[in-house]
Amino acid sequence: MPTAPSTNPSPSSPAAGPPSQDTPPEQRRDQATPSPRFHTTACAAFWNPNFGRNFTVCGRILDKYHQLGGPGGFLGPPTSDELTNADGIGKRTSFQGDATIYWHPDTDAHPVGGAIGSKWAQFGYDPGPLGYPITDEITNPDGIGKRQAFQHDSSIYWHPNTGAHQIGGQIGARWGELEWEASYLGYPTTDELSTPNGAARFNHFENGSVYWAQPTGGHDLTREMMAIWGAYGFETGLMGLPAGNNIPDSDISVLARGQQAAPRLRIPGEPQEQVFQNAIGRFGTDGEAYVRGR
């Protein structure tokens, strides 16, 4: 059934600046399924007692409606006739169960609703940067979280602890390399956003972040490494942007000489290292953070 309403609203749109680069379709977690590239004229009328009238459901939207149980399923009876979308091509029909089925010849028919639908609405529905849905809502392997993939290399993930957030492009690809929500990062806690200086894009997660920039690519950071980086001013500071992924349990000795403790920073955490554009950060077993210029 559709996701429950989110109690953690997020920004209403992505920050200014180009999004992280798209990944090839074959490398994405969820693929669009082949479907008839036409919308048939077959229609059926369904009574809605709350409105005291019939509404007409047609074509591939009707097929999807039957597949999901029709008026006896979680969608309930329709609350609109079939409508034509702003592009003049796609179609939609809304239903009483807080969901709408959208159809487009490139994506087929898929319901969108709940918190995921609300987040999609914040991005401007089908004319927005996400485009049309290419999957139904999917339950994640943890049995709790939900996700739905969209046309332009983006997905919206929902979990009761984090709300619904958009992720895609190279940031989503790096998260996928770490096994998505099953990774140490957990679920996203923000949409994809821009750094204040426009130099990079990022998503924050339950236990870290992924930053992407054109010259450096997409790289994950733990909370501890974010604290080290933040102590030096993030992307505008002397360390620059992350240029490599986090290395846990690192015994690399590149910091053996010339180490410099991060200012006023002593936090618990696991040993780890990370390469930045202009420096290397390390978190030791003694709870001290160290930074060395490259």
Side-chain angles (χ1 to χ4, degrees), residues 22-78:
D22 286 353
T23 54
E26 65 274 10
Q27 295 179 13
R28 302 173 192 173
R29 185 178 193 179
D30 300 307
Q31 310 291 327
T33 55
S35 62
R37 298 178 62 83
F38 58 87
H39 194 60
T40 66
T41 57
C43 296
F46 296 88
W47 176 258
N48 188 320
N50 292 337
F51 288 78
R53 55 160 290 189
N54 283 315
F55 291 100
T56 301
V57 185
C58 299
R60 293 293 293 165
I61 292 177
L62 177 61
D63 293 342
K64 174 62 70 171
Y65 187 44
H66 282 313
Q67 178 187 332
L68 297 174
F74 73 87
L75 290 171

Side-chain angles (χ1 to χ4, degrees), residues 29 167 170-181 183:
R29 185 178 193 179
I167 185 168
Q170 293 297 315
I171 293 175
R174 177 56 191 158
W175 188 43
E177 290 172 355
L178 296 169
E179 297 300 326
W180 296 287
E181 69 281 350
S183 71

